Amino acid sequence: MRIRSFMGCKLSLAALLSTLFAFSAAAHEVLPAIADLRAEDGDVSLTIDLNLEAYLSGIDLDGLENTDDAEQNDSYTTLRSAEPDVLRDRVPSLIAQWNALPLLAIDGAPVTLEPAEILIPEVGNTDLPRPSRIVLRGAADGAVMQVAWPKGAGELLLREAGVDDPFTGYIRGGATSPELAIGGGNALTGWGAFAQYIPVGFDHILPKGLDHILFVLGLFFLSAKLGALLWQVTAFTAAHTVTLALGALGWVNVPGSIVEPLIAASICYVAIENILIGRLTPWRPALIFGFGLLHGLGFASVLGEFGLPEGQFIPALLGFNVGVELGQLTVIAIAALLVGWFAGRDWYRPVIAIPASAVIALIGAYWVVERTLL
C-alpha cells in the first residue's frame, strides 16, 4: 500500500511539474482587442487596437491561451517579422470579412465601414505582440447601434465614447453587444458591471496569469497545514486588494519595468524559503503582504489597459477582485487534488514540496533576468 501511494505521489508530482514547465514558456500574448465606438453628427467611428498579425493569420483566438498552441503559429510568426506595408496590404480583406457579418449595424441595418487610418508599428521585439490600430468610419443614420464580434476573434472590450453614461463591456467571439442608443445612457448597472468583471479577473489568473499562479503555488508548498496557508493567503489578498484599488484609481502608478521583475523576484523568494526553511516564520506573512502589494500593481496594470466603466467603477473593480480570488482558490484546489492526499506522509516535503518549489524558483529567477534585460 505504501508503494502504491508513493507511485501515485510521483505521478501527481510529474503532472504538476510538467504543467509548470509547459506554462513557463507562455507569454501573455492573447489579449482582448479594444474598440472605442463613437457616433456624432451623422458619422460613426470604430477605433480598434488589436494584435493584427493574429487576425491576419486566421488563428482561432476563442479560448486560446497562447498563440504557440495555434495551428497557424508558423504564419503568425512570419507576420510578426513582416514590415508594416506587408500587413497594411492585407487589412482590406480583413475589413471585408468584418463588414460581411456585419461588424456594425444601426437600427438593424448593416453599416459598411471604411478604413480611415491604419497604424502599424515598425518591427520591434518579435517575442512580444505588436500593437496595431485600425480606425473605421461609416454613416450613423439611426438611433440604436449593435456591434457583432466574429467567431474565433477572441474577446473584444467595447467602449462607447463621447456620450453620457457610456457602455463599457466585453463581447466574446461570435457574440453581439447589447443595443446601444446613439445618444448614450447605455452604461451597465452596478450588478451588471460586477458580474461582467468577475470572469475578467478569473481569466487573468486562470489561464493567463502564470506569474500569479506560481506565487500562489509557492504559498501552498510551504506547509501542508491549513493554518500556514490561511495566514499567507489572507496577507496576500489584503495587500493586492489595496494596490489594485489604488492603481485602478490612478493614485499609484509604478512602471511595469519595475513591477514585473519584482513580481518575478517574489516568486523566486517564496520558493527558495520553502526549500531552506519549510515552515511559517514570524516574518513570512509580512513579506507576503509586501509581495501582495506588488502583485496588486500588476493586476491594476491590466485594468489600466482595458479600462473600467466610468459610472460603475467600484462594482466593476470589486467584480474583478472577486474573480482574481476565485482564480487563486481554484489554483489551490487543483494543487490540493493533485498532491494534497500525500501531505501527511513523511516523504511529502522531500519528494513533492521541495522539487516543486525548486521548479518555481528556477522559473522565477529566469523571469527576473528576462524582465530586467527587456
Side-chain angles (χ1 to χ4, degrees):
M1 188 69 177
R2 181 181 179 90
I3 294 176
R4 291 174 63 183
S5 297
F6 188 75
M7 290 301 296
C9 161
K10 291 178 68 177
L11 290 174
S12 297
L13 178 62
L16 180 63
L17 295 184
S18 64
T19 300
L20 294 181
F21 276 123
F23 275 135
S24 66
H28 300 306
E29 292 191 3
V30 181
L31 297 174
I34 302 175
D36 292 316
L37 178 64
R38 180 186 295 269
E40 56 187 3
D41 301 328
D43 293 319
V44 62
S45 68
L46 195 62
T47 301
I48 306 176
D49 294 319
L50 74 171
N51 181 353
L52 182 59
E53 293 90 331
Y55 291 86
L56 294 179
S57 59
I59 292 177
D60 185 347
L61 297 172
D62 292 347
L64 187 68
E65 299 173 13
N66 187 272
T67 52
D68 290 341
D69 301 326
E71 293 181 5
Q72 301 87 351
N73 184 54
D74 289 343
S75 173
Y76 173 66
T77 301
T78 300
L79 289 175
R80 289 172 76 163
S81 301
E83 295 300 322
D85 286 344
V86 174
L87 302 183
R88 193 173 290 109
D89 290 342
R90 298 181 58 176
V91 170
S93 63
L94 177 63
I95 296 174
Q97 294 173 25
W98 288 346
N99 279 326
L101 284 173
L103 183 62
L104 177 67
I106 297 181
D107 290 348
V111 175
T112 300
L113 297 170
E114 301 290 344
E117 196 171 13
I118 301 173
L119 301 175
I120 305 172
E122 296 293 333
V123 179
N125 184 353
T126 56
D127 291 332
L128 301 173
R130 175 170 33 174
S132 298
R133 169 172 290 184
I134 299 175
V135 181
L136 304 171
R137 297 191 188 280
D141 184 15
V144 177
M145 303 179 291
Q146 273 190 298
V147 173
W149 195 232
K151 182 177 176 58
E155 290 186 332
L156 173 73
L157 174 63
L158 179 64
R159 305 184 298 201
E160 204 177 3
V163 295
D164 294 329
D165 298 324
F167 172 84
T168 298
Y170 282 84
I171 306 173
R172 297 189 179 276
T176 303
S177 75
E179 292 187 341
L180 305 175
I182 286 183
N186 305 302
L188 293 169
T189 64
W191 282 111
F194 176 80
Q196 188 172 87
Y197 275 80
I198 289 176
V200 177
F202 186 92
D203 185 67
H204 188 62
I205 298 296
L206 284 172
K208 296 179 179 178
L210 178 59
D211 43 3
H212 306 298
I213 290 173
L214 292 185
F215 187 84
V216 171
L217 287 176
L219 305 186
F220 175 83
F221 285 116
L222 171 69
S223 171
K225 295 181 179 179
L226 179 61
L229 182 60
L230 183 61
W231 270 108
Q232 295 177 92
V233 171
T234 300
F236 183 63
T237 297
H240 77 62
T241 299
V242 171
T243 46
L244 171 58
L246 294 177
L249 288 167
W251 295 351
V252 175
N253 184 18
V254 181
S257 59
I258 297 176
V259 172
E260 292 302 322
L262 289 177
I263 288 177
S266 73
I267 296 168
C268 189
Y269 177 86
V270 295
I272 291 175
E273 192 172 74
N274 289 352
I275 297 170
L276 298 180
I277 299 178
R279 68 180 188 280
L280 183 66
T281 61
W283 63 81
R284 174 95 168 194
L287 279 172
I288 298 303
F289 185 87
F291 293 151
L293 296 175
L294 292 172
H295 284 252
L297 292 174
F299 295 137
S301 68
V302 174
L303 291 182
E305 293 175 2
F306 301 158
L308 289 168
E310 293 182 7
Q312 301 296 346
F313 182 91
I314 298 300
L317 181 63
L318 291 174
F320 182 87
N321 199 54
V322 168
V324 167
E325 296 313 312
L326 291 175
Q328 292 175 172
L329 291 175
T330 302
V331 171
I332 291 173
I334 292 172
L337 285 174
L338 284 173
V339 298
W341 305 102
F342 313 108
R345 305 295 194 274
D346 293 338
W347 38 261
Y348 172 79
R349 176 169 160 76
V351 174
I352 293 182
I354 290 179
S357 295
V359 172
I360 294 171
L362 288 173
I363 295 173
Y366 171 76
W367 280 344
V368 170
V369 175
E370 180 188 48
R371 296 175 182 183
T372 301
L373 293 179
L374 288 178

